[in-house]
Structure formats: C-alpha cells, structure tokens
Amino acid sequence: MTDQTIQALLVGGAVILGVLALAFLVETLREARRGSDFRRQLKDLVEKPVGEGPKSSILVQDAVEIAWLQPIFNKIPSTVDLQVLIHQAGSPWSVSTFLMLSAGLALGIGLTLMLMRFHIIFVVLGALVAMMIPLIRLRRQRTRRFRDFEEQFPEAIDLLGRSIRAGHAFATGLQVVAEESPDPIGAEFRQIFDEQKFGLPLEDSLLSLTDRIDMVDTRIFVTAVLIQREVGGNLAEILDKIAYTIRERFMILRQLRVYTAQGRMTGYLLSGLPIAVGFVIFLLNPEYMAVLFEDSVGRVMLVAAGVMQLVGALIIRRIIDIEI
C-alpha cells in the first residue's frame, strides 16, 4: 500500500471521526437543553398561578432540535417520514444528527476516493453509498424492532384479554400490558395509555399505533378493537381470536424461513466469498493484490466488482424475501 493511499485513508478517517464527534456533541447539547427546559417549565408550573403556566411545551420540541435548521427542514416533506423511521427504529438520533452523519460519511469517503485518484464517477458513487449507511442502519434497526414486536404481540393481546376478563377497563388493561411486557411492546402500549390518559381520544391513540408499527397484525388488532367499541361484543373473545390468528401467521412465516434457509445461506456465501478470498490473498501476497489499488484499471475493477456484488446480494435477498 503506497504512502498516497495511506494518507488518503487517514484524511478520510479524520473527516468521518470529526463529523461523528460533532454529531455526538450536538446530541449532548440537545439533551442538556431539553433537561434545562424541562426543569424550567416545572419551576414555572410550581411558582405561577393556575392558568399562567408556560406558553411553550417541551413536548413539541422533538421535530427539529437545531433552531437555525428548522426553516430548511420545514421545506423538506421527507423529513416527516424520516422522523417516523427514527421512531420506528427506536433510535435516539434526531433528524439533524442523521443528516450530519450522512453528510459526514459521504464527505469522508468521497474525499478518500478523490485523494486516491479515483475517477469522479466512482468518487460520487462511493459518496452516495456512504451517505446511505445511516439509512440502512435505521432500516435494519426498524426491522429488528418490528420482529421483536411481532413475537411479543400475541402474548400482549392475551394479557390484555385476561385483564378484561378480570373486570378491568380497556384502558387499565393497556396499563397492565405496558407494565408487564418488555420493550418494544411495553413502550408502545405505554404511549397509547399515556396519550389517552392526557386527553387524546382512544381511537386516535390506537390509530397512531398503526402509524408507528406499520404491520398487518397491528392493523388487525386496532380495527377489531375500534369495531367492537362501535357495535359492541365480547372484547376478550375477540382478542383471543386475534392472538390465535397472529400466532398461526407467525408459524407460517417461520416455516417459510426454514424453506428459504438454503437460499439465504447461498446468498451469504456468494456475497462474502469474494471478499474473504481477496483478503486472504492480500495477506499471503500483498504485492500481487497491490496492482488493484495502485493501477487505475484495478481501481475501476474493484468498484465495478463491489457494485455487482451489492446488486447481486440485493437480488438474492429480494428473491427469498417472501411476505404473507
């Protein structure tokens, strides 16, 4: 590896680490400001008479935490979807932190490729791929969180049904589920309970659950509960049937995962084998592999191979991803 390549990697790494440090600093300052605002508002509530409380609430400050970026974010409709994605993933990031991380990774990787004298097309392509890394991470976190929710959901519905059979109100059953269930079930049901406790209609709280957890199971649950509240019926029996249906559907999904296990292993093997072989060859004979990094044609071949590997992995994943 030449000195120029080492310098390029060091510069790119320094840029990425600098942006990460800036993002962490912004998050720390944001949490400190929110804490001070919260304490100030509590102090105002205690000191001021009833009806003269603070006119602003810390509860409405979650959208955008950096004031000078708010006019820019208001003109970008997709930031609302990004906020929903961050919440669905259960991530502590804010929108501003996400954008800074994306821009920092794109700048660091793009600058590294530029200093390594890659063609401008590959520089732009590498920067775009690096910019997608935070988005991919959020999507993976959301998928993992949805999977945990799906596994815990039937037990939560059973617990809600038993609470109703014991004579508790539906809202009390929500509180029981929130206290007895692990996250993410506990967190989501706790939010439903808190929303209706502080005055939001229960129908709106349940519908907001389908926005946060966009799954077939939650839509079935919310639709059944809302219909029962309109026309009446035995809610506990309805919840038992919903839990049974969700368990049967989940069992079918697990069977499909067993049937597609060979395809998934093939995809993992085909995606990782070229990288592993290249790494082993580089350890055994660095001079042999150095041509790919030092020669312009070799760099083009590396980028083209990486793009084809990524496209192939996505195609294989799409083939084995069966939804019911």
Side-chain angles (χ1 to χ4, degrees):
M1 189 176 295
T2 62
D3 294 339
Q4 182 181 1
T5 302
I6 296 176
Q7 293 175 359
L9 293 175
L10 291 176
V11 171
V15 172
I16 294 175
L17 291 176
V19 173
L20 289 176
L22 180 61
F24 291 146
L25 176 62
V26 170
E27 284 295 311
T28 303
L29 295 177
R30 179 176 67 91
E31 291 300 325
R33 191 189 68 179
R34 283 172 59 85
S36 62
D37 290 344
F38 184 70
R39 289 189 294 270
R40 175 180 54 81
Q41 291 180 11
L42 287 179
K43 182 179 179 181
D44 293 339
L45 288 174
V46 173
E47 295 178 352
K48 292 185 178 180
V50 177
E52 298 184 6
K55 301 183 182 299
S56 63
S57 173
I58 195 171
L59 297 177
V60 299
Q61 297 179 5
D62 271 340
V64 180
E65 287 74 9
I66 300 182
W68 61 272
L69 289 177
Q70 187 166 359
I72 300 176
F73 289 155
N74 291 337
K75 298 179 181 178
I76 306 177
S78 59
T79 55
V80 178
D81 297 332
L82 184 57
Q83 291 170 7
V84 174
L85 175 61
I86 292 174
H87 181 83
Q88 289 176 342
S91 174
W93 292 354
S94 62
V95 175
S96 54
T97 302
F98 174 84
L99 295 178
M100 281 193 297
L101 290 175
S102 301
L105 289 174
L107 179 62
I109 298 300
L111 184 60
T112 301
L113 295 178
M114 183 180 298
L115 293 176
M116 294 176 67
R117 301 188 183 279
F118 276 88
H119 194 274
I120 187 61
I121 296 178
F122 300 115
V123 173
V124 174
L125 182 61
L128 291 177
V129 172
M131 186 172 60
M132 296 296 292
I133 292 177
L135 180 61
I136 295 174
R137 182 175 183 271
L138 282 181
R139 289 184 178 275
R140 289 180 61 87
Q141 286 182 336
R142 181 182 65 176
T143 301
R144 191 183 308 114
R145 190 167 184 265
F146 278 17
R147 187 181 300 117
D148 294 339
F149 186 95
E150 189 177 27
E151 293 179 355
Q152 302 168 7
F153 199 33
E155 285 74 15
I157 296 177
D158 284 339
L159 181 59
L160 181 59
R162 291 194 297 269
S163 177
I164 293 175
R165 281 196 179 91
H168 297 293
F170 182 76
T172 306
L174 293 176
Q175 183 181 13
V176 172
V177 175
E179 293 176 351
E180 299 296 332
S181 301
D183 290 337
I185 285 286
E188 295 297 336
F189 275 79
R190 187 177 304 111
Q191 182 168 348
I192 297 175
F193 175 75
D194 291 341
E195 287 175 349
Q196 61 88 30
K197 180 180 179 181
F198 288 106
L200 188 69
L202 181 60
E203 291 78 5
D204 295 339
S205 299
L206 291 174
L207 291 174
S208 65
L209 175 65
T210 60
D211 294 332
R212 298 193 303 270
I213 308 294
D214 188 12
M215 290 169 33
V216 176
D217 299 338
T218 55
R219 290 195 291 269
I220 293 175
F221 167 73
V222 170
T223 302
V225 172
L226 294 181
I227 292 176
Q228 188 275 337
R229 292 178 63 85
E230 292 290 336
V231 302
N234 191 338
L235 181 57
E237 183 179 352
I238 293 173
L239 293 177
D240 290 341
K241 293 182 179 179
I242 293 175
Y244 173 78
T245 302
I246 294 175
R247 284 193 177 95
E248 291 296 316
R249 179 174 173 271
F250 196 65
M251 183 179 65
I252 295 175
L253 286 174
R254 286 185 171 178
Q255 290 177 349
L256 287 176
R257 287 185 60 85
V258 173
Y259 297 150
T260 58
Q262 182 179 358
R264 291 200 309 274
M265 292 303 298
T266 302
Y268 297 150
L269 182 63
L270 293 178
S271 300
L273 185 60
I275 300 176
V277 172
F279 181 72
V280 171
I281 295 176
F282 179 78
L283 292 179
L284 297 177
N285 193 350
E287 292 79 10
Y288 180 77
M289 293 291 293
V291 180
L292 291 176
F293 298 97
E294 298 173 357
D295 190 82
S296 59
V297 178
R299 295 169 183 165
V300 172
M301 293 175 62
L302 280 177
V303 174
V307 172
M308 289 189 291
Q309 281 288 111
L310 179 61
V311 172
L314 293 177
I315 292 175
I316 294 175
R317 181 176 180 180
R318 186 68 176 176
I319 292 174
I320 63 177
D321 187 13
I322 303 175
E323 298 182 359
I324 62 171

